[in-house]
């Protein structure tokens, strides 16, 4: 049997994105070679620009608390590669991962698969082997041509907040991107759309739902009231019931409401998802690197948001924290880094730029030329974090690590709870 390193070498032998596609035939062919495990599974399929990860966890945990055996496939990984493949919150064990990886390796052909496609194949086989009652499946990029879209008609599709990201692949307007995301909607299923979308996005999703003879569900702001923003979550009212998220950010109640409506639809389809399970999920779910508050000394907020909408969500949290803010930040050049970084620079007392985390990171020299005041170029994450931490300790402040999941992973893997 392959060992773990050999498995990772095999997966790494494929490019991250694979050769570009115009249809799903390559992914469908891969599934056929491994005997189509996806055809034996039921799915909730989740797409969107921001909020996917949180919404996947809210729905998954409500189902887990209801007693179901729940597969979860998410992207990207945060701490290590296998944390994207889980059942009931526990990631795939090394033995199963290696056995299944070898099974896949022995059967594939010489197509230019992506790492994501190979990983999805491993996940589908494991979910089938472990007899999952349902799989909450997060799309990678887009929806229509994303390899996760090879699944049969899901029990439910969920589309979260849509904004500009991956524009070179998905299109340069929110409407073009919405068309790609709406591609996960399939015949005689249903779709829940997050209420924090533009009307043009709502119109596109509704039109697609009508064409596919699908139920269209969208929460209403009339039924919603956000009560506060606190360091331990957000209390809110929805349809006269009071809830409180464990996660930070004004966007989290909206993600939670999307999940509430998803769970209530599942009840109509024969699933037993009691109100207490939904409430417990909202009150306990915490996702790493999603405006994650860590009550250390000094306190740290870690966020992997890397597009303007994600950065805005972080900005609104920071704007409501009555502390000096010392930020460690870097971004890759494929993102809208200028608009994103400007918001964080505006709210930070000092910001420490780094570029050592990725080959396509925007250079600290360039960032320092654009943002001159209260900024410093650093050679490494360690240097930047030490500077931010010392200032936060001296001034009763808070450290913020943001701009990229690479940075969030660096902190969570190497600094969190380490003495």
């Amino acid at each position: 049997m392959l060992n773990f390193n050999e498995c990772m070498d095999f997966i790494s032998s494929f490019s991250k994105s694979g050769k570009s596609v115009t249809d799903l035939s390559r992914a469908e062919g891969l599934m056929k070679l491994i005997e189509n495990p996806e055809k034996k599974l039921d799915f909730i399929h989740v797409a969107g620009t921001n909020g996917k990860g949180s919404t996947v966890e809210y729905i998954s945990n409500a189902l887990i608390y209801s007693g179901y055996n729940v597969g979860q496939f998410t992207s990207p990984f945060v701490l290590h590669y296998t944390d994207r493949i889980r059942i009931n919150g526990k990631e795939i064990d090394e033995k199963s991962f290696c056995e299944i990886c070898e099974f896949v390796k022995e059967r594939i052909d010489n197509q230019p698969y992506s790492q994501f496609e190979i990983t999805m194949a491993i996940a589908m086989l494991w979910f089938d082997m472990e007899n999952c009652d349902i799989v909450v499946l997060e799309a990678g990029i887009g929806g229509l041509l994303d390899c996760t879209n090879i699944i049969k008609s899901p029990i439910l599709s969920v589309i979260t907040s849509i904004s500009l990201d991956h524009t070179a692949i998905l299109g340069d307007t929110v409407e073009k991107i919405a068309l790609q995301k709406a591609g996960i909607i399939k015949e005689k299923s249903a779709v829940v759309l997050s209420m924090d979308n533009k009307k043009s996005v709502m119109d596109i999703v509704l039109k697609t739902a009508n064409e596919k003879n699908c139920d269209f569900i969208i929460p209403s702001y009339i039924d919603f009231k956000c009560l506060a923003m606190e360091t331990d979550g957000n209390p809110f009212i929805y349809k006269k019931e009071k809830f409180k998220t464990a996660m930070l950010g004004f966007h989290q109640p909206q993600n939670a409401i999307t999940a509430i409506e998803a769970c209530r639809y599942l009840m109509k389809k024969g699933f037993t998802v009691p109100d207490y399970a939904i409430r417990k999920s909202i009150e306990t779910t915490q996702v790493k690197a999603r405006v994650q508050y860590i009550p250390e000394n000094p306190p740290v907020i870690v966020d992997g948001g890397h597009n303007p909408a994600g950065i805005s969500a972080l900005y609104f949290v920071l704007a409501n924290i009555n502390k000096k803010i010392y930020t460690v930040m870097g971004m890759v050049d494929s993102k809208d880094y200028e608009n994103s970084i400007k918001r964080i620079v505006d709210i930070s007392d000092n910001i420490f730029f780094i570029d050592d985390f990725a080959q396509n990171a925007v250079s600290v020299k360039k960032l320092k030329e654009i943002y001159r005041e209260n900024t410093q170029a650093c050679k490494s994450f360690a240097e930047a974090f030490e500077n931010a931490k010392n200032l936060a300790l001296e001034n009763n402040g808070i450290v913020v690590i943001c701009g990229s999941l690479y940075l969030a992973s660096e902190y969570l893997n190497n600094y969190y709870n380490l003495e």
Side-chain angles (χ1 to χ4, degrees):
M1 185 177 74
L2 297 175
N3 63 37
F4 185 80
N5 289 335
E6 288 169 336
C7 290
M8 291 310 303
D9 287 343
F10 165 65
I11 293 170
S12 299
S13 70
F14 300 93
S15 68
K16 286 189 175 181
S17 57
K19 187 177 179 181
S20 60
V21 297
T22 56
D23 59 32
L24 293 171
S25 59
R26 187 174 75 204
E28 288 168 344
L30 173 60
M31 290 295 110
K32 188 175 181 180
L33 291 171
I34 60 167
E35 301 170 13
N36 291 111
E38 82 287 356
K39 291 185 177 179
K40 294 176 273 185
L41 297 164
D42 290 318
F43 296 93
I44 298 167
H45 201 183
V46 183
T49 307
N50 292 297
K52 296 195 299 293
S54 302
T55 304
V56 164
E57 296 305 313
Y58 286 131
I59 296 170
S60 297
N61 287 335
L63 287 164
I64 293 165
Y65 294 142
S66 301
Y68 291 101
N69 195 34
V70 183
Q72 299 157 273
F73 183 66
T74 56
S75 68
F77 69 90
V78 178
L79 297 183
H80 40 265
Y81 198 84
T82 52
D83 67 25
R84 61 179 60 191
I85 307 171
R86 289 165 291 142
I87 295 177
N88 296 342
K90 295 181 180 179
E91 67 185 73
I92 186 170
D93 61 282
E94 187 171 308
K95 181 174 182 291
S96 296
F97 179 74
C98 292
E99 287 177 350
I100 297 170
C101 187
E102 186 167 58
F103 179 88
V104 172
K105 184 180 181 183
E106 289 172 349
R107 282 157 180 79
I108 63 166
D109 52 19
N110 60 356
Q111 289 290 316
Y113 298 114
S114 67
Q115 293 177 18
F116 189 71
E117 286 168 333
I118 298 295
T119 306
M120 181 187 71
I122 294 169
M124 294 294 186
L125 285 162
W126 191 50
F127 297 150
D128 178 40
M129 284 171 49
E130 297 297 322
N131 299 309
C132 287
D133 299 311
I134 192 164
V135 174
V136 188
L137 180 69
E138 181 183 340
I141 295 176
L144 180 65
L145 296 177
D146 187 77
C147 68
T148 61
N149 209 28
I150 48 89
I151 63 169
K152 63 186 179 182
S153 189
I155 295 168
L156 177 66
S157 298
V158 178
I159 299 176
T160 62
S161 179
I162 296 176
S163 59
L164 294 175
D165 199 8
H166 300 293
T167 52
I169 299 170
L170 303 179
D172 57 3
T173 68
V174 170
E175 290 74 22
K176 288 178 183 176
I177 293 172
L179 280 169
Q180 293 293 316
K181 306 291 185 185
I184 69 168
I185 301 171
K186 293 190 172 70
E187 287 286 341
K188 297 179 181 178
S189 181
V191 58
V192 177
L193 176 67
S194 176
M195 64 185 179
D196 59 337
N197 278 296
K198 292 172 61 177
K199 184 179 183 303
S200 58
V201 169
M202 294 180 191
D203 291 343
I204 287 166
V205 176
L206 175 59
K207 182 174 182 289
T208 306
N210 288 337
E211 290 170 352
K212 301 288 185 179
N213 300 306
C214 287
D215 292 333
F216 175 75
I217 304 159
I218 183 166
S220 171
Y221 275 109
I222 295 171
D223 298 319
F224 166 66
K225 184 178 181 181
C226 189
L227 300 177
M229 207 290 290
E230 302 169 358
T231 56
D232 61 347
N234 286 65
F236 67 95
I237 293 172
Y238 182 61
K239 292 184 175 178
K240 299 180 181 179
E241 292 184 68
K242 188 174 180 180
F243 300 87
K244 184 175 181 179
T245 66
M247 297 179 70
L248 281 176
F250 287 114
H251 56 297
Q252 283 304 336
Q254 296 175 23
N255 294 335
I257 288 167
T258 302
I260 290 169
E261 290 296 344
C263 291
R264 289 178 177 169
Y265 177 82
L266 292 174
M267 291 281 285
K268 295 178 183 178
K269 301 302 288 185
F271 285 80
T272 301
V273 192
D275 286 345
Y276 79 83
I278 298 172
R279 180 175 299 279
K280 185 178 179 182
S281 174
I282 291 166
E283 292 177 350
T284 60
T285 293
Q286 292 185 304
V287 184
K288 293 181 178 67
R290 266 60 166 199
V291 197
Q292 181 182 359
Y293 180 82
I294 299 171
E296 300 228 323
N297 184 31
V300 178
I301 288 179
V302 185
D303 186 57
H306 47 253
N307 56 46
I311 294 293
S312 289
L314 172 63
Y315 173 89
F316 286 119
V317 170
L318 299 180
N320 284 272
I321 289 178
N322 189 27
K323 283 180 174 288
K324 288 185 176 293
I325 296 167
Y326 303 98
T327 302
V328 176
M329 191 173 192
M331 291 191 72
V332 296
D333 59 16
S334 58
K335 302 297 180 181
D336 182 4
Y337 64 88
E338 290 196 25
N339 286 324
S340 296
I341 292 174
K342 185 179 186 306
R343 300 216 77 180
I344 302 303
V345 167
D346 287 346
I347 206 166
S348 298
D349 290 272
N350 287 89
I351 190 161
F352 301 93
F353 291 129
I354 51 175
D355 62 8
D356 65 331
F357 58 92
Q359 286 186 337
N360 61 332
V362 184
S363 72
V364 292
K365 181 180 179 182
K366 186 171 186 177
L367 293 176
K368 185 64 181 164
E369 287 173 356
I370 300 171
Y371 311 101
R372 296 178 183 277
E373 293 186 16
N374 300 322
T375 66
Q376 182 177 325
C378 296
K379 294 179 181 178
S380 66
F381 181 91
E383 178 190 340
F385 179 65
E386 190 67 21
N387 289 339
K389 181 180 177 181
N390 289 339
L391 284 172
L393 286 169
E394 289 171 14
N395 298 287
N396 189 31
I398 188 167
V399 175
V400 175
I401 298 165
C402 65
S404 170
L405 269 170
Y406 292 111
L407 304 186
S409 296
E410 174 76 14
Y411 174 78
L412 293 171
N413 273 316
N414 299 313
Y415 294 85
Y416 182 29
N417 279 343
L418 293 180
E419 296 297 327

